[in-house]
Amino acid sequence: MKNFEHKAAYRSISDPNGETDVLWILKNGENTFMVLVENKIKAPSSQGDQHLRYIERGDDYIKRGYCIGYKVVLLAPENYESEDAENYDDRISYEDVAKWCQKQGDRRSLYIAYLYEEAIKKLGQKVTSEKMTEFHRQIRELGRDEFPALNVPEPKEVGGTDDWLYMRHSRYTLVYKMLKTSEDKTKSTGEYVGCVVDLQLADRGKDKELLEKRYGSTMKTEGIKIKETGKSASFRLKVPLIKPPEFDERKVREAFRQAKRLKDWWENNRIEGD
């Protein structure tokens, strides 16, 4: 969005396949760029394909010539969690919006900051874990320093159950997962039993068998498996076991190497449309 300037913003834009909470339009000469914002505060929507429908609307805007590109952004409190929260192109927290408005200092901005702060209180404060935050600092700094192509996010404060690391890319997400007694119970108690890196395709879980047919031969050569993870399809590689918040530099580095190998495999073998 470099060199684009604000043109207009609209609230609650309805389309045949759903509603965009905020549509932000940016201009650069004759070129238009759109930001589609999903605003969330409480429980995740029961509509599991919500993020996918934002993508469909954005693609439709391009086909119709309304814009040359778009981003889908999640606006939510820092401790908001949902199955597809990590699939959005970017995430803006209520806390950051409130801080920005406070800095502006004018009466209207201060009132908006107050509204966001009240919304944050309704959801409750996230309890951070010093040990898990330090664990994330170490793995994220290693990843950002040695594997920049993976898009490892900057360190931040996290809670005691935030052991997975999400690395967002266009159309897919890489996830470094520390699995407990059941890989589908991310908040389960008990011992860590394995670690994997997944290349996750949002809302493609129903296509697992189709994807396996398309990529099965190269998957077998590379030792890659495919799993249905929630509503997503995930190409998976096993990596050495670690047990957060204990940090093991050698094992974490190997996990990032495998994540890079998985990323390169996908980008070299991806079939148009996937």
Side-chain angles (χ1 to χ4, degrees):
M1 296 189 295
K2 188 176 181 181
N3 299 324
F4 279 81
E5 297 181 351
H6 168 76
K7 178 65 176 179
Y10 303 95
R11 181 169 60 88
S12 301
I13 304 299
S14 295
D15 288 281
N17 74 340
E19 182 178 282
T20 299
D21 290 336
V22 178
L23 181 63
W24 182 22
I25 299 176
L26 305 169
K27 296 282 288 187
N28 179 0
E30 296 299 317
N31 295 322
T32 299
F33 191 93
M34 292 183 173
V35 180
L36 289 70
V37 181
E38 167 66 7
N39 181 33
K40 284 291 186 185
I41 181 171
K42 293 187 177 179
S45 169
S46 60
Q47 301 169 324
D49 61 347
Q50 189 169 47
H51 174 263
L52 178 61
R53 288 187 287 111
Y54 268 93
I55 296 294
E56 291 173 348
R57 288 199 289 277
D59 288 345
D60 187 55
Y61 290 154
I62 292 177
K63 289 179 182 178
R64 295 188 181 191
Y66 295 162
C67 62
I68 62 168
Y70 69 92
K71 274 191 173 185
V72 181
V73 175
L74 176 65
L75 174 64
E78 287 181 352
N79 58 344
Y80 173 82
E81 296 179 356
S82 71
E83 182 178 301
D84 68 348
E86 296 294 336
N87 295 334
Y88 289 80
D89 296 319
D90 282 302
R91 179 167 178 163
I92 302 172
S93 73
Y94 278 23
E95 287 82 355
D96 284 343
V97 173
K99 289 176 184 177
W100 185 89
C101 289
Q102 286 281 1
K103 288 181 180 179
Q104 305 315 301
D106 61 276
R107 187 172 180 178
R108 182 171 182 271
S109 295
L110 292 175
Y111 178 66
I112 293 173
Y114 164 77
L115 294 178
Y116 274 97
E117 289 166 354
E118 288 300 303
I120 294 166
K121 290 178 183 177
K122 288 183 180 179
L123 194 60
Q125 297 296 318
K126 182 172 183 175
V127 179
T128 60
S129 164
E130 290 185 7
K131 290 183 178 180
M132 194 64 80
T133 294
E134 175 61 15
F135 170 76
H136 268 268
R137 183 192 67 77
Q138 290 175 301
I139 65 171
R140 291 179 187 217
E141 288 186 354
L142 188 156
R144 289 172 65 82
D145 289 344
E146 299 185 22
F147 302 90
L150 294 180
N151 292 349
V152 177
E154 293 183 359
K156 67 174 185 178
E157 291 186 345
V158 299
T161 60
D162 295 328
D163 42 12
W164 291 10
L165 178 66
Y166 295 84
M167 297 160 275
R168 293 194 292 271
H169 298 261
S170 177
R171 303 291 181 178
Y172 67 89
T173 301
L174 288 166
V175 192
Y176 182 13
K177 297 180 177 180
M178 298 78 186
L179 306 177
K180 292 188 177 179
T181 50
S182 170
E183 67 183 52
D184 296 321
K185 296 178 181 177
T186 64
K187 304 302 181 185
S188 67
T189 58
E191 291 295 316
Y192 288 97
V193 294
C195 292
V196 298
V197 288
D198 282 357
L199 190 149
Q200 181 174 291
L201 305 181
D203 301 304
R204 295 295 301 276
K206 61 184 181 300
D207 299 329
K208 174 182 173 291
E209 292 184 4
L210 173 63
L211 291 168
E212 197 163 15
K213 289 180 181 178
R214 286 182 176 178
Y215 301 102
S217 59
T218 58
M219 285 169 55
K220 186 176 181 179
T221 301
E222 296 293 336
I224 298 169
K225 305 293 185 181
I226 188 168
K227 299 284 186 179
E228 187 173 348
T229 53
K231 293 184 179 295
S232 300
S234 294
F235 296 101
R236 172 171 293 183
L237 284 171
K238 288 186 177 181
V239 297
L241 172 66
I242 60 172
K243 300 180 179 181
E246 296 177 13
F247 175 74
D248 187 312
E249 182 177 334
R250 180 183 61 83
K251 292 181 178 180
V252 170
R253 181 176 288 109
E254 178 59 22
F256 281 129
R257 286 197 188 103
Q258 295 304 314
K260 178 65 164 56
R261 185 162 75 88
L262 191 59
K263 174 181 182 293
D264 291 342
W265 168 81
W266 177 246
E267 294 184 350
N268 289 330
N269 291 278
R270 184 181 70 85
I271 298 171
E272 188 68 28
D274 282 339

